[in-house]
Amino acid sequence: TSLPWRLRRFGAESETPAHEQRPTRARSFSITWTEEEIEKAKKIWKSILAYTTDILGKMKEMKENNSKPPLCDLLELVGKAHALPTPEEAFGRRDPSARQMSENMNSIIDAIEGGRDDVACILKCLKDDGEGIELDALQKSIDEIEQTCPIGLTELETVKRQVQEATLWEEKLENNVDHGTADSDASDGEDVITEKKLTLEKVERLVSKGRNLTLRPRSLVRLQKRIERAHILRRRITVWNEARNQENPQNIKFISTLIKQANKIDLAFPELFTLTGVHKKAEEWMDRASIAVRTTISFEELESLVSTGESLPLNVSDVLEKLRNRLTQAQEWIARMERIVPKNEDYFVWLQRFRTALEDNEKNAYLLSLVSEGSRIPVTMECSMLLQIEIDARHWAVKAKQWIPQNFDMPGEVCAPQKRGKIDDVKDHLGRASSLRDRLWFCESEKSEWVLDGEYQLIQMINMAESWFEKYHEIINYDSRRNGKLRISMSKLHGIVQEVNKIPLNLGNPSTKMNRIFSQADEWTRKYYSLIKRCGIEYAYIPADTDPASDDSLKPLKINELSAAVADADSDVSVDLEVVIKIRECLERAQIWINKANI
C-alpha cells in the first residue's frame, strides 16, 4: 500500500512533533469557512462519528483479516476527513461530540499506523537473502499479525495465498525427498549407496514446478543447490568412466570420495550405478585381499584374487603386487613337486603316488625338504596337504608295525610282536588315524577308502580283544569276595588263557589276572595229577611235564592225601576247580564211611 503522506492527529495540532510535520498538506485554523460549509461538515462529521464508533467497536472482536475494516478504506476516510473543517471548527471546542469525533479519528489513525507497521514486518519477512524464505517463520508472523492487527491488510491476504501455494509444493516435496539430511555430515563415513534413492530426473521435475512459485522457499533453494552438486558429481564420474581403462587409473580412495559425495547429495542417476558397482566390487576385493596378505589362504582363492584384482578398473597395485609374488612362489613350488609326484585328478591315486614316493629313500629326503619349504609359504596347496598327510601316515605306520606280529595275516599260530602294545595305546593310535583321515576334504564314504598301512591289522587286534572281553565278561569281572570262589573247569580256564595269549596286545589287569589264576591251577594240577587219576576222575587237561601213560590207579588212596590236595587247592588256587570239587566229594564220602565203620 502506498502511503505518501504522514497522518496528522485531530484536535492536537500544537502537540505534533516538529519532525513529523510535513508540508505536503499545509492546513491552518485561520481558514475562514462559510456557514454552508460548516453545516455540511457537521452532517458529515456526525456520519463519521457513527461510522468510526461502529468500526472501533468491531475491531476488538474481529480476528480474521478479511472481516476487519480494510486499511485502504480507513486511509480514504482519514484523507477525506482532513479536507473538512475540524470538529472543533464545526461544533466548537466545548462541544463534547467534537472531542469524541477527534478521539475516534485519532484511534483510527493509530490503527492505520499499526497496520502500516505490520505491512513493513511482512515485507521484511519476504526479503530473500539468497537462501530462500523460511515458510514456517513467515507463517508464524502472518498468524501473529492476523491476531493482533486491528484492520484488514490486502497484503496479508496476498502473502497468505503465496505461502499456501509454497507449502503445498513443499509437502509434495517432503513426500518424495528427504532434503533435510542432504546437507548433513552424518553420512561422511559411509561409503555405500542407499538402495531407496530418489532419481535426479524426478527431483528436477519437482524443482521445475517450484520455480513457478511467487515465493521462493528455502527448501527449493537447498534442492537447487543439491541438484547443482549432483550435476558436478555426474560430470566427474563421466570423466572418470571415460578414462578408467587408461594406463594410470584412479585408486579406490578416489572412488570412495565420489561415493561419499553421492551419499551427501543422495540423488541417483545412471552414472552413479556404474560407479557403485565398481566400488562395491573393489571394496569386497580389498577386504578379501587385505586379509589374504596377512594370513594363509588357499591356492584357488589366491588365483581368484589375483585375477579379479587385475580386472578391476582401479589402481590396487600396492596389494595386488604382494598377492602376485605369493602366487608365483606357490606355482614354482607346485611345479617342483609335480616333477617328483605327478598330479592326478583322482585324489586316491595321487595319495598312493605320494606313499610310493616316500618309500624311495632318495625321493623321501627330497620330499621332506620340499614339504618343509612349502610350509613356509602362506598358501594352502592341495599337493602340500596330501603330502603332509602321507608323511604323517608313514610315521603312524612305523609305530603301528611295532605292535603287529610278522605272521599276523598268516593262518596258524600267531607269534608275539616285537612289543605288545597296551590296548589303550593302540586305541589312541587308531584315533590318531581317524584324525589323519579327517584332514582329508572328501566325503565320508571316500575318506573310508583311504586306509593307513597297519591300520586294518590293529583294528583286527582290537576286535579280538573286545570279543575276548565280551565273551568272558562274567568270569573276568567275577567278585569272589561277595560270591565266593568261582567254580570253573581247568579245561575252560586253559581255553580262556590260550585265547588271551593269542591276542598280540597287552590287555592289562584282566589278562594278568587270568594268567595268574591259570598258573596257580596248573601248578596244583601238576602236583596232584597222579592223585586225580587214582581217584578215577576224568580229566581232559594234561599238564606239561607229566606222563599221561603212567598208571597209578592200583595204589590205594589215603585220606591224608585227599585232605592235603583239597587244602592246597583252597589256599593256593583263586578259583574252585571242578576237579577239586570232585576230590572234596570223594573225601567227604570216605570220611562218612570211616565214621560209620567206627561206630
Side-chain angles (χ1 to χ4, degrees):
T1 302
S2 176
L3 300 175
W5 49 276
R6 180 174 293 277
L7 298 176
R8 295 184 63 188
R9 294 183 175 276
F10 286 80
E13 183 180 4
S14 60
E15 298 176 4
T16 303
H19 68 275
E20 291 187 2
Q21 298 177 5
R22 297 184 61 180
T24 56
R25 187 179 181 271
R27 187 170 184 269
S28 173
F29 286 102
S30 61
I31 297 176
T32 302
W33 303 94
T34 65
E35 185 175 347
E36 184 181 355
E37 289 176 331
I38 294 297
E39 288 301 322
K40 187 177 180 181
K42 284 183 179 180
K43 292 180 181 179
I44 296 173
W45 276 116
K46 287 180 181 179
S47 299
I48 291 174
L49 176 61
Y51 175 72
T52 55
T53 301
D54 180 60
I55 62 173
L56 288 173
K58 292 180 178 179
M59 282 182 185
K60 298 179 181 179
E61 300 175 357
M62 297 175 182
K63 298 299 181 182
E64 295 184 2
N65 182 67
N66 54 11
S67 63
K68 298 175 183 178
L71 174 60
C72 57
D73 292 352
L74 296 181
L75 286 172
E76 184 180 0
L77 173 65
V78 172
K80 290 181 178 180
H82 272 288
L84 298 173
T86 64
E88 289 78 6
E89 291 175 334
F91 295 97
R93 291 184 178 274
R94 295 183 179 181
D95 192 326
S97 60
R99 173 177 287 276
Q100 184 63 46
M101 292 175 188
S102 294
E103 288 179 355
N104 283 6
M105 289 304 298
N106 286 333
S107 296
I108 294 296
I109 292 172
D110 289 340
I112 290 172
E113 290 179 347
R116 292 169 65 188
D117 291 341
D118 289 336
V119 171
C121 180
I122 293 173
L123 294 176
K124 184 178 180 180
C125 291
L126 292 175
K127 185 179 179 181
D128 189 346
D129 56 358
E131 296 295 327
I133 297 172
E134 186 63 51
L135 293 182
D136 291 341
L138 180 57
Q139 184 62 51
K140 183 178 179 181
S141 298
I142 290 173
D143 293 341
E144 290 178 356
I145 291 171
E146 192 166 17
Q147 291 294 322
T148 59
C149 185
I151 60 177
L153 304 175
T154 306
E155 296 83 355
L156 186 64
E157 287 301 316
T158 302
V159 174
K160 282 175 65 178
R161 186 171 60 255
Q162 295 172 353
V163 169
Q164 186 177 9
E165 292 175 354
T167 302
L168 290 174
W169 178 88
E170 203 169 61
E171 288 176 356
K172 187 175 181 181
L173 176 66
E174 290 289 344
N175 293 331
N176 294 276
V177 187
D178 186 15
H179 62 84
T181 59
D183 297 316
S184 69
D185 294 332
S187 61
D188 283 356
E190 300 178 2
D191 295 343
V192 294
I193 300 295
T194 54
E195 294 181 359
K196 297 181 179 179
K197 189 179 290 296
L198 193 64
T199 62
L200 177 60
E201 182 182 359
K202 187 174 182 179
V203 172
E204 287 180 325
R205 288 199 299 267
L206 289 170
V207 169
S208 178
K209 294 178 181 179
R211 290 194 182 99
N212 297 326
L213 297 173
T214 306
L215 295 179
R216 195 171 70 140
R218 185 162 295 178
S219 57
L220 175 61
V221 175
R222 289 179 177 176
L223 199 56
Q224 287 174 328
K225 292 181 178 180
R226 189 171 163 187
I227 291 173
E228 290 175 4
R229 295 201 304 273
H231 281 292
I232 294 172
L233 177 62
R234 191 174 189 176
R235 287 192 294 271
R236 291 187 66 190
I237 295 174
T238 302
V239 172
W240 165 80
N241 197 28
E242 292 174 352
R244 66 177 184 170
N245 294 322
Q246 295 179 0
E247 294 182 359
N248 298 316
Q250 295 285 353
N251 57 25
I252 195 170
K253 291 182 180 179
F254 175 79
I255 304 299
S256 298
T257 302
L258 296 181
I259 293 294
K260 287 179 181 179
Q261 292 177 8
N263 277 330
K264 287 184 178 181
I265 298 171
D266 200 27
L267 294 177
F269 42 87
E271 294 81 358
L272 184 58
F273 295 129
T274 302
L275 178 72
T276 305
V278 173
H279 179 262
K280 182 178 180 181
K281 186 176 181 181
E283 280 290 300
E284 291 175 352
W285 185 88
M286 282 298 296
D287 290 342
R288 291 170 56 204
S290 298
I291 295 173
V293 168
R294 302 190 304 268
T295 59
T296 300
I297 62 170
S298 68
F299 181 80
E300 292 73 15
E301 184 178 4
L302 181 59
E303 277 188 321
S304 174
L305 279 174
V306 172
S307 176
T308 304
E310 290 174 343
S311 65
L312 287 175
L314 297 173
N315 182 3
V316 290
S317 58
D318 51 341
V319 178
L320 182 59
E321 195 59 33
K322 295 178 182 178
L323 296 178
R324 279 176 179 158
N325 292 338
R326 189 184 297 185
L327 179 61
T328 301
Q329 189 179 10
Q331 288 172 335
E332 291 175 352
W333 187 91
I334 292 173
R336 291 165 58 196
M337 171 67 72
E338 291 183 353
R339 282 197 294 269
I340 304 300
V341 182
K343 181 179 180 180
N344 192 285
E345 295 301 325
D346 188 335
Y347 287 117
F348 292 106
V349 175
W350 204 4
L351 283 165
Q352 188 59 46
R353 287 179 179 178
F354 280 120
R355 188 172 297 187
T356 303
L358 289 170
E359 292 174 359
D360 186 307
N361 292 334
E362 184 178 350
K363 291 182 179 180
N364 183 293
Y366 182 79
L367 289 174
L368 290 177
S369 174
L370 200 59
V371 78
S372 176
E373 181 183 338
S375 65
R376 295 190 289 273
I377 302 175
V379 179
T380 304
M381 298 169 280
E382 285 186 346
C383 55
S384 176
M385 295 169 63
L386 294 176
L387 174 57
Q388 187 61 60
I389 290 172
E390 278 298 338
I391 290 173
D392 294 342
R394 182 177 175 81
H395 294 159
W396 184 94
V398 169
K399 185 173 182 180
K401 288 178 180 178
Q402 297 177 2
W403 296 327
I404 302 172
Q406 294 181 356
N407 59 343
F408 183 76
D409 294 326
M410 300 178 185
E413 292 293 327
V414 177
C415 65
Q418 299 176 10
K419 177 183 178 183
R420 279 184 183 267
K422 294 181 180 179
I423 186 170
D424 291 338
D425 293 343
V426 174
K427 285 182 177 180
D428 291 342
H429 202 54
L430 286 171
R432 284 190 282 274
S434 298
S435 299
L436 279 174
R437 188 174 291 105
D438 290 338
R439 285 161 58 182
L440 298 172
W441 52 92
F442 319 144
C443 64
E444 290 300 323
S445 59
E446 292 178 339
K447 285 182 182 180
S448 61
E449 297 178 13
W450 183 72
V451 181
L452 287 77
D453 291 342
E455 183 180 10
Y456 178 72
Q457 290 84 347
L458 290 187
I459 292 174
Q460 280 188 305
M461 290 160 58
I462 292 294
N463 290 338
M464 291 170 63
E466 296 290 347
S467 176
W468 183 81
F469 279 122
E470 183 178 357
K471 184 177 180 180
Y472 301 112
H473 172 75
E474 294 183 359
I475 296 175
I476 295 169
N477 297 296
Y478 184 82
D479 188 357
S480 58
R481 294 182 180 180
R482 177 179 296 180
N483 303 319
K485 283 188 175 183
L486 173 68
R487 181 174 178 176
I488 188 172
S489 68
M490 187 62 186
S491 299
K492 186 170 185 179
L493 182 61
H494 182 224
I496 292 174
V497 173
Q498 278 186 320
E499 285 187 38
V500 74
N501 289 336
K502 288 180 181 179
I503 300 172
L505 290 174
N506 180 356
L507 303 187
N509 290 334
S511 174
T512 304
K513 174 182 176 182
M514 298 311 298
N515 274 284
R516 185 185 70 250
I517 293 173
F518 174 74
S519 178
Q520 295 170 351
D522 181 67
E523 185 177 350
W524 181 89
T525 300
R526 285 200 308 269
K527 183 176 180 181
Y528 295 103
Y529 183 71
S530 175
L531 179 64
I532 294 171
K533 291 182 68 176
R534 287 162 59 198
C535 290
I537 299 173
E538 293 184 2
Y539 201 54
Y541 174 74
I542 301 174
D545 302 330
T546 58
D547 184 9
S550 62
D551 188 6
D552 295 334
S553 58
L554 299 178
K555 291 178 62 175
L557 294 172
K558 295 181 180 180
I559 295 296
N560 58 349
E561 289 180 326
L562 296 176
S563 298
V566 171
D568 286 349
D570 290 340
S571 61
D572 299 338
V573 183
S574 301
V575 295
D576 204 1
L577 295 173
E578 290 184 357
V579 66
V580 175
I581 295 173
K582 291 179 180 180
I583 294 175
R584 188 181 293 114
E585 291 174 353
C586 183
L587 177 62
E588 289 174 356
R589 289 196 301 271
Q591 192 65 48
I592 292 171
W593 184 86
I594 291 173
N595 292 337
K596 287 181 179 181
N598 291 332
I599 294 176

